[in-house]
Amino acid sequence: MTRSGGSPSSESKTDGDTTTIDADGLWIIPGLWDCHTHFTQWAKTLGRLDLINARSASEAMDMLRRHLDERRAAGTLDPNVFVVGMRFRHSLWTDDEQPTLAAIDAVAGEQPVALSSADMHCGWVNSAAARRLEVHVDGKTGLVGELEWFNAYTQFDSAPGAAEETDRLLREAEQDAAGKGVVGIRDYEMAENVDTWIGRFAAGINGLRVDAGVYPERLQAAIDAGWHTGDPLPGSNGLGRVGAMKLISDGSLNTRSAFCSTPYSGIEPPTYGTLSYAPHQIEDYMRLATEHGFDIACHAIGDEANTIVLNAAEATHAHGSIEHAQMLKPRDIPRLAALGLDASIQPQHAMDDRDVIARFWAHPAGIPYPFRALADTMAVAAEDARTRGAAGMPGSSRYGQARLRMGSDAPVAPLDPWLAISAAVFETESADREPFQPEQRLDIRTALSASTAQGRESVQPGDPADLALLDVDPYSIDTPEDMRALSTHVAMTFLDGMRTH
């Protein structure tokens, strides 16, 4: 980290087109990256009903009722357009406060309403929405299971004017991210992403660097089109690249579908979760990606899913990242480093899930959210690789290359690296509450480094001109509340030398 000199925020022209900015007293860090987003869906939360604070189904219905009433009064409620809500957390609600189809029908009537869970792995719809989406709805709960929900979610954008509204919200989301010091994202939107982002850059939606992920079902088309991970997106002026193949191996904790080696606690009949693909399919997709120049970005949450994914990566020599790595068997933690795979974690999820873990993973076979353990094994591997290289000793070319990356999984958690950094450093959202797993806390340097493209917290000569300037020293922060508030202390953000905030 570097402290700058000069007068705060003053700008002056020098020769040619060069602008000199004096930033006395500000702290300079590399621009921040969010390494796991669903950016379109995150942008849409800026214009949708947010249910994150609902503590029960009845509270969620009260929020929906007020939202519908306000839109009727404003004349913005179209009976032919879905009303979409986001981020309800029913896994934290008591058994007698769970969703019901009758409850949402009573509030929504014939207005099609679809509400997405916080982890986006299930939805809660009324009968009118179910008919339009042609999905199977549990007659009692109104919940739509994750695979059907993934498909249904893409249908909300077909209404008249939806495309224009999406563009507006995307621009707003880019500005919001820049205001937090963010210069880049990895976008794993569950849609076609490469051509979509080429079109967005052409339309001037260019406030961030973007790595655009490709899902398995679209991988062959991307291969046939000649794409590879890292290829620049035409018209992006170097800001857009083709990303990794994003594969979802299992479900999520909150829907009890993350695939585990031991059954969920308190659930009858016993369940271990589910795999989204058979192990041989996971291996086949990884092999196809690797043979055609694609990195992998493999979602794995349950400990058994992580084992299966690591086995497939080892068999195919895949390179890239394990996304979430949310619960790992102790023997699997060093395997990421040995295989040269990044651990792409979302620390805010640990804050959201700490009470859910106590409820459903009461006796896990793996370690949930092993942040420190992952960082330590990667640091040891990197040092060992440097030692071997200096001594001219043989060793795996991949060993020591793995690194920790951090993100949000927005909209599951807000696109705000400071929330992730705070969660990793303090393991609690409030100084009044004990840390979730104090032994897994990261130091600020490690957490900040994991939130940058370079993997370090300092700016060095030759780096891209992607910078964030803060008006406080983040190393001086000693409470989670103050760390979470650092997004309000970003004085300036620069992307490729251009000021975006």
Side-chain angles (χ1 to χ4, degrees):
M1 180 168 306
T2 307
R3 194 171 186 178
S4 61
S7 303
S9 303
S10 62
E11 299 186 14
S12 61
K13 284 284 187 181
T14 58
D15 59 314
D17 294 328
T18 303
T19 300
T20 300
I21 298 177
D22 286 337
D24 188 25
L26 301 181
W27 293 82
I28 302 175
I29 61 173
L32 302 176
W33 273 70
D34 190 315
C35 289
H36 191 123
T37 74
H38 303 271
F39 195 68
T40 304
Q41 299 311 317
W42 164 247
K44 288 178 181 296
T45 65
L46 303 179
R48 286 176 171 172
L49 172 63
D50 191 351
L51 299 168
I52 193 65
N53 293 321
R55 293 168 296 180
S56 65
S58 57
E59 284 194 10
M61 290 301 92
D62 287 342
M63 295 167 72
L64 175 61
R65 185 180 291 106
R66 289 194 297 271
H67 181 73
L68 293 173
D69 288 345
E70 290 169 0
R71 291 188 56 179
R72 286 191 188 97
T76 61
L77 189 63
D78 186 334
N80 296 310
V81 177
F82 284 97
V83 171
V84 181
M86 308 287 293
R87 304 204 301 164
F88 71 85
R89 294 182 57 79
H90 68 307
S91 56
L92 293 176
W93 302 345
T94 61
D95 290 341
D96 60 351
E97 276 289 358
Q98 290 298 309
T100 68
L101 181 61
I104 191 170
D105 275 347
V107 172
E110 286 303 306
Q111 177 69 48
V113 169
L115 311 177
S116 179
S117 65
D119 59 15
M120 296 177 68
H121 279 255
C122 70
W124 180 12
V125 301
N126 67 340
S127 297
R131 290 193 298 271
R132 296 191 184 208
L133 294 169
E134 297 183 343
V135 294
H136 172 266
V137 183
D138 186 295
K140 179 180 179 182
T141 67
L143 288 174
V144 180
E146 61 185 348
L147 296 182
E148 275 197 295
W149 184 246
F150 290 158
N151 292 328
Y153 208 92
T154 62
Q155 299 182 45
F156 302 149
D157 300 328
S158 58
E164 292 79 6
E165 176 72 357
T166 297
D167 280 1
R168 182 185 69 79
L169 292 172
L170 287 166
R171 295 173 196 273
E172 185 176 333
E174 286 196 330
Q175 292 170 2
D176 178 75
K180 296 167 181 171
V182 177
V183 297
I185 60 170
R186 290 185 167 186
D187 185 19
Y188 297 124
E189 187 68 34
M190 298 179 69
E192 192 289 316
N193 282 324
V194 174
D195 289 343
T196 295
W197 274 106
I198 290 172
R200 287 174 179 173
F201 280 112
I205 302 174
N206 56 4
L208 295 170
R209 295 189 186 273
V210 177
D211 288 353
V214 176
Y215 276 77
E217 292 74 15
R218 294 181 170 88
L219 178 60
Q220 188 61 58
I223 292 169
D224 292 344
W227 295 117
H228 313 84
T229 294
D231 285 349
L233 298 185
S236 70
N237 294 317
L239 298 178
R241 299 183 302 187
V242 176
M245 178 197 72
K246 169 67 185 300
L247 186 149
I248 299 176
S249 75
D250 68 339
S252 71
L253 167 59
N254 284 275
T255 52
R256 279 80 74 194
S257 54
F259 192 55
C260 303
S261 61
T262 56
Y264 284 78
S265 50
I267 301 296
E268 293 294 338
T271 180
Y272 293 78
T274 58
L275 283 175
S276 302
Y277 300 92
H280 73 87
Q281 292 176 304
I282 294 172
E283 185 173 319
D284 287 346
Y285 275 128
M286 284 192 184
R287 181 171 288 106
L288 181 65
T290 303
E291 290 177 350
H292 291 87
F294 276 86
D295 288 355
I296 61 143
C298 194
H299 162 125
I301 291 183
D303 66 306
E304 192 64 20
N306 274 282
T307 296
I308 290 168
V309 164
L310 291 174
N311 290 345
E314 185 172 12
T316 60
H317 305 285
H319 36 79
S321 62
I322 304 302
E323 300 295 318
H324 311 306
Q326 207 167 97
M327 182 165 66
L328 289 163
K329 300 167 187 172
R331 66 177 178 270
D332 278 340
I333 291 174
R335 291 184 71 195
L336 274 87
L339 295 171
L341 295 170
D342 294 344
S344 177
I345 61 172
Q346 296 76 44
Q348 179 58 32
H349 288 0
M351 304 300 94
D352 295 335
D353 286 349
R354 61 185 298 179
D355 296 319
V356 183
I357 286 172
R359 183 177 183 183
F360 296 125
W361 280 352
H363 308 289
I367 303 172
Y369 293 105
F371 303 151
R372 182 77 261 168
L374 285 166
D376 285 348
T377 192
M378 290 177 180
V380 169
E383 181 58 34
D384 184 53
R386 283 192 291 269
T387 301
R388 286 175 172 271
M393 298 171 62
S396 170
S397 61
R398 300 170 67 191
Y399 191 64
Q401 294 181 355
R403 56 167 288 197
L404 200 66
R405 297 182 183 271
M406 296 201 331
S408 64
D409 200 10
V412 181
L415 201 165
D416 185 345
W418 299 108
L419 299 186
I421 291 169
S422 178
V425 170
F426 293 102
E427 284 270 336
T428 184
E429 294 180 286
S430 169
D432 295 329
R433 190 176 189 190
E434 290 297 312
F436 167 48
Q437 295 182 135
E439 73 280 5
Q440 297 298 339
R441 291 171 60 173
L442 299 179
D443 61 275
I444 177 62
R445 292 182 185 276
T446 299
L448 187 55
S449 296
S451 302
T452 68
Q454 298 89 339
R456 50 179 158 78
E457 90 279 12
S458 61
V459 178
Q460 295 184 8
D463 285 348
D466 297 345
L467 307 168
L469 278 69
L470 312 177
D471 62 17
V472 297
D473 175 7
Y475 292 150
S476 69
I477 303 300
D478 58 8
T479 70
E481 290 85 355
D482 288 343
M483 186 70 79
R484 292 168 67 84
L486 274 179
S487 61
T488 65
H489 292 278
V490 176
M492 289 180 264
T493 305
F494 293 87
L495 173 65
D496 200 28
M498 300 295 293
R499 185 169 174 175
T500 55
H501 168 71

